[in-house]
Amino acid sequence: MTNEARRRVGVIGLGMASAPHAQSLIDLADRVEVAGCFSPSAERRAAFAARHGLPVVDRLEALLEDPALSAVLLLTPPDTHADLVARCAAAGKHVLLEKPLDATPEGARAVVAAMETAGLTLGVMLQHRFRASVERLAGLMRDGVLGRPLTAAVSVRWWRDAAYYAQPGRGKKARDGGGVLLTQAIHTLDAFVSLLGLPDQVAGFAATSVLRSPEMGMDTGMDTEDVVAAALRYGNGLLATVDATTAAYPGYPERIEIAGTEGSAVLAGDRLEVQLVTGERIVEGQDGATLGGGADPMAFSHQHHRAVLSDFLDALDQGRRPRVDGREALKVHRLIEALLEAAGSGRIVEVGTP
């Protein structure tokens, strides 16, 4: 497909997460024609149209029944994903889905199965893999520059204030499916899994901190975790830790650290630093900004969303899988599922396959 034949797409869901998607669509206007953007809320439709200048529709069916519409960007809350993806699949539409796949493990697997059964392409918005620093580290890992990995750590010490959790359904299992792991740390955990794969076993603890309680002035009924401490064990002897929270004011750059027999790497936000035993030092990217880790969860550039969208369009044009398709996304979902199972049971959990 050439630029002269732009791909016709629609957007479903116009909440907070829609802004970087909208800007990405505008940037890639030579490749996509936006047929319409839908929310059941007339107020949201009006605000979105005024902010981004993209067309809106007042019926979901206007998109799904459009025979010329090729793909849908699905940006709705997690608990709606399984049903809406099934409707998109039935309508013959490819889907680029905002993370997570769904609010439940069963729903996540159903999302992937629905698109595979229909023979359609599913891309997932896990954009951290598209950061230049992550891509550079992935290349170093593939080339064995760090040697054999010995130990690693993931740290996501972010901050979300009371106003964030005051939004209806936010931080609750019924809508979001999980807390800091599935909603915030999923991006960093996905990048980590892309670098080192899934562990064989996990153990850990998870809790809802006192910060979210009535005694601290917050009574939202939040029933998901905002503090997690866990350990991972790989079959090759690698040991790793996971430290994730949204209770660390004012929010700090997420980190991935890997130490191997030939050197160590520290990825902090968008900055990569590698120190090899030979004395060679590699530095990539900017100093670690919070990139959405503070009170404003949207305080980041849309460039990595644009990269995911561009790859998704390339995949459709070339008849290949997107770099992060449903099967790839199931890996981080399986890790999160195992971590929560371990925390809930107090046992070491075998991760197995997604």
Side-chain angles (χ1 to χ4, degrees), residues 36-286:
C37 305
F38 171 76
S39 167
S41 164
E43 181 179 358
R44 280 193 175 178
R45 292 196 300 270
F48 180 87
R51 180 177 181 183
H52 300 292
L54 294 174
V56 296
V57 295
D58 59 7
R59 295 173 57 253
L60 175 62
E61 290 76 17
L63 300 177
L64 298 185
E65 295 174 2
D66 181 348
L69 190 138
S70 173
V72 167
L73 278 64
L74 184 54
L75 319 178
T76 56
D79 65 323
T80 67
H81 287 182
D83 176 65
L84 287 174
V85 167
R87 293 183 66 181
C88 290
K93 312 304 182 187
H94 305 291
V95 173
L96 177 58
L97 180 64
E98 180 60 57
K99 63 80 188 169
L101 288 168
D102 190 70
T104 69
E106 297 77 18
R109 290 188 280 270
V111 161
V112 176
M115 295 297 288
E116 289 183 345
T117 299
L120 296 165
T121 298
L122 173 65
V124 185
M125 187 56 71
L126 288 166
Q127 68 270 15
H128 280 27
R129 294 198 194 194
F130 290 75
R131 291 180 173 179
S133 51
V134 174
E135 292 177 328
R136 180 67 187 281
L137 180 54
L140 296 175
M141 297 295 294
R142 283 194 301 269
D143 294 341
V145 173
L146 296 183
R148 176 183 173 184
L150 302 173
T151 180
V154 181
S155 177
V156 182
R157 302 193 64 79
W158 282 4
W159 168 251
R160 292 293 185 265
D161 59 15
Y164 173 85
Y165 287 111
Q167 297 298 312
R170 191 166 287 161
K172 298 181 182 179
K173 290 179 183 177
R175 190 195 81 157
D176 289 348
V180 62
L181 291 177
L182 194 62
T183 306
Q184 286 88 24
I186 185 172
H187 288 294
T188 310
L189 290 172
D190 176 68
F192 180 81
V193 168
S194 76
L195 295 167
L196 291 170
L198 283 172
D200 288 3
Q201 297 177 313
V202 300
F205 301 94
T208 306
S209 73
V210 69
L211 192 66
R212 317 303 179 190
S213 67
E215 66 187 272
M216 296 295 289
M218 182 173 165
D219 189 15
T220 65
M222 179 175 169
D223 59 357
T224 58
E225 81 290 347
D226 68 342
V227 179
V228 174
L232 319 178
R233 180 160 58 194
Y234 288 74
N236 61 4
L238 170 67
L239 298 178
T241 61
V242 173
D243 167 26
T245 184
T246 55
Y249 179 83
Y252 299 90
E254 65 273 19
R255 293 172 67 89
I256 294 176
E257 303 182 22
I258 302 172
T261 54
E262 301 299 325
S264 296
V266 176
L267 185 64
D270 253 350
R271 182 178 176 83
L272 171 66
E273 294 188 34
V274 177
Q275 185 67 58
L276 302 178
V277 296
T278 60
E280 181 184 358
R281 184 168 178 263
I282 301 169
V283 179
E284 173 97 29
Q286 308 168 1

